[in-house]
Amino acid sequence: MTPRGPASAAGAQVGADPGARAAPRRQERGRRRAESILDAAEAAIDEIGYDGVTTNLIATRAGISPGSLYQYFANKQAIAEALATRYLRYLDRHGGSGDVAVASGAHGAAGRARGEILPAGLATRPTAEIIDWVVDPVIELNVAHPAAKALLAGSNVSPELAHATRALHAAICDPVDALIAAIAPQRAADACHLAANVSFQIFTGVLPGIVAAAPTERPAVIRELKAALCGYWETLRPAAGQPAAE
Amino acid sequence: MTPRGPASAAGAQVGADPGARAAPRRQERGRRRAESILDAAEAAIDEIGYDGVTTNLIATRAGISPGSLYQYFANKQAIAEALATRYLRYLDRHGGSGDVAVASGAHGAAGRARGEILPAGLATRPTAEIIDWVVDPVIELNVAHPAAKALLAGSNVSPELAHATRALHAAICDPVDALIAAIAPQRAADACHLAANVSFQIFTGVLPGIVAAAPTERPAVIRELKAALCGYWETLRPAAGQPAAE
DNA sequence: ACAGAATACGAGCGATTGCTCGCATTAGTC
DNA sequence: GACTAATGCGAGCAATCGCTCGTATTCTGT
């Protein structure tokens, strides 16, 4: 209301509530602010999409002013990058794909980590089991954080956003690439890359439907996705008796 | 250059070139203008995406002024709708899916046209052949008109755009639904709908990769997509000797 | 030749965007 | 209590958006 003097009403009571927090620790509080900004951005992106989301809206949702937001994130893209690394950590903590090629940093991860870091013997398991191992953690991530799919659907987004999420892409694609190379040893490396990319695109294509589905119907959608991937990967395996000629 | 007087240079020669066009017919020229606007919009959407595209940019690309654009299209969404119906006509002219449920108008098409309008005996052909019949025309459309995929990727777009492209979605999904119902008679209608939607999402997921691929590598990507769909649809068919219990 | 409709223009409107700036408040340290 | 740095504010800027408006030009019909 008053042009400048935001603490005229609320600020007068600050400090009168010391029992709420034992040791607020200023930088600790700042880190919490950044997290709450990411939470607000996550919810907003999930509802409106990255392009449609406004920094002012994120700030309002987080209960802060636009100026405060820019004390924690240099610009809108930085928020997306922070979300991407947050999801990367999520995949790192949980099992499945993501804990393979994440490792150190963003770039350079594509090309290393081909097979040896995968769980021993995973490639010899039934195809359905391999797919569970790859797919389940990423679905879990997207159900818990529905905005993740906005960062994973790399196509039809601005190039800056694509750059911000390259590491996230690689963390999912690289293990898939390695797995395909393991179960389809007759395929050339290029063909394995192609199959991994197509598999990833199939996954991200169905993802929004999975996240949007009602919890009771979600398993059915996931089952369809896995059936498709399973049917696809089965065709990648070398033919039993005769090598494929055509 | 001059604020008002656009014909100062070019307009002086109008009428001095009667040999170029026999009967220009004013309304004919207007229709051509509208088509050229759609052409410009198509190219722009392909490069920047629907949300990123500006009406002023479309006008500039079409070589007209912003005001002229709004004599042919009421607003930005109307351009998308006109593009969608243009693609609908494309699918209608060419074979394959699209010439089934298009018929009269937008709404109401979902639910009718279940099976009987499909080519006789198509469902009894090999799965790969069925998929060719469904997939090839739509890929052809998207290769010829790369902006179509922006209208097909229904998710992560604004609701207005989704509404403008519902008919296009239905024209592709409905025949798929009917085909799945034909090759998987043991599945309930709901399950067929689900499989059709998942198949559609798989298709639109891989589509950008197909369109973006170099022409020499495009067949390989298409082959992977078809392998995935084929492997998926094979699992939909009733088991040979025993009905599926689990 | 002339009226009226269709076509065309482009400056600029109102709204919105990502982001800045100057300043107020608070926490931590002495 | 005084000083500093971290944190916080919110009005508002510069740019951009979709779109309008008043006006100029061209075509068609008569």
Side-chain angles (χ1 to χ4, degrees), chain B residues 100-101 111-119 122-123 130 133-134 170 172-185 189 192-193 195-197 233:
Chain B
V100 173
R112 297 192 295 99
R114 292 291 299 275
E116 55 262 7
I117 322 184
L118 294 174
L122 177 62
I130 302 177
W133 184 85
V134 174
I172 299 175
C173 273
D174 287 350
V176 171
D177 198 350
L179 277 172
I180 289 179
I183 70 173
C192 290
H193 279 79
N197 282 331
W233 286 22

Side-chain angles (χ1 to χ4, degrees), chain A residues 51 153 155-156 187 191 194-195 198 201-202 204-210 217 220-221 223-225 227-229 231-232 235-236, chain B residues 51 153 155-156 187 191 194-195 198 201-202 204-210 217 220-221 223-225 227-229 231-232 235-236:
Chain A
D51 285 333
S155 307
N156 66 39
R187 275 178 89 97
L194 176 60
V198 169
Q201 289 167 343
I202 287 174
T204 57
V206 184
L207 236 189
I210 293 176
E217 302 183 6
V221 189
R223 202 155 40 226
E224 298 297 314
L225 166 66
L229 285 176
Y232 177 34
T235 71
L236 301 179
Chain B
D51 286 334
S155 307
N156 67 37
R187 276 176 87 97
L194 176 60
V198 168
Q201 289 168 342
I202 287 174
T204 57
V206 184
L207 237 188
I210 292 176
E217 302 183 6
V221 189
R223 203 157 40 227
E224 297 297 314
L225 167 65
L229 284 177
Y232 176 35
T235 70
L236 301 179

Side-chain angles (χ1 to χ4, degrees), chain A residues 20-181:
Chain A
R21 297 165 191 161
R25 284 306 166 115
R26 202 50 188 295
Q27 296 185 349
E28 166 75 18
R29 185 168 84 143
R31 228 169 290 148
R32 264 206 290 265
R33 269 274 198 242
E35 289 296 318
S36 79
I37 292 174
L38 288 184
D39 291 339
E42 199 169 43
I45 289 177
D46 176 38
E47 294 175 20
I48 323 180
Y50 177 78
D51 285 333
V53 146
T54 292
T55 54
N56 287 6
L57 176 66
I58 295 176
T60 301
R61 291 266 202 122
I64 63 174
S65 78
S68 299
L69 184 146
Y70 282 90
Q71 263 171 347
Y72 296 99
F73 300 99
N75 47 41
K76 192 183 178 185
Q77 182 186 343
I79 298 177
E81 286 175 8
L83 273 181
T85 66
R86 207 200 216 186
Y87 297 146
L88 223 43
R89 277 201 304 269
Y90 184 102
L91 287 179
D92 205 14
R93 280 199 310 273
H94 298 66
S97 83
D99 63 350
V100 173
V102 173
S104 49
H107 311 77
R112 297 191 297 100
R114 294 290 299 279
E116 56 261 6
I117 322 184
L118 295 174
L122 177 63
T124 66
R125 310 290 308 172
T127 309
E129 200 170 317
I130 302 177
I131 286 175
D132 286 345
W133 184 85
V134 174
V135 164
D136 283 336
V138 190
I139 289 183
E140 195 183 318
L141 163 68
N142 278 273
V143 169
H145 302 271
K149 66 179 191 302
L151 305 182
L152 280 177
S155 307
N156 66 39
V157 294
S158 49
E160 327 99 32
L161 185 57
H163 174 268
T165 59
R166 270 239 296 273
L168 195 54
H169 276 77
I172 299 174
C173 274
D174 287 350
V176 171
D177 198 351
L179 276 172
I180 289 179

Side-chain angles (χ1 to χ4, degrees), chain B residues 113-141:
Chain B
R114 292 291 299 275
E116 55 262 7
I117 322 184
L118 294 174
L122 177 62
T124 66
R125 310 290 308 172
T127 310
E129 200 170 317
I130 302 177
I131 286 176
D132 286 344
W133 184 85
V134 174
V135 163
D136 282 335
V138 190
I139 288 183
E140 195 183 317
L141 162 68

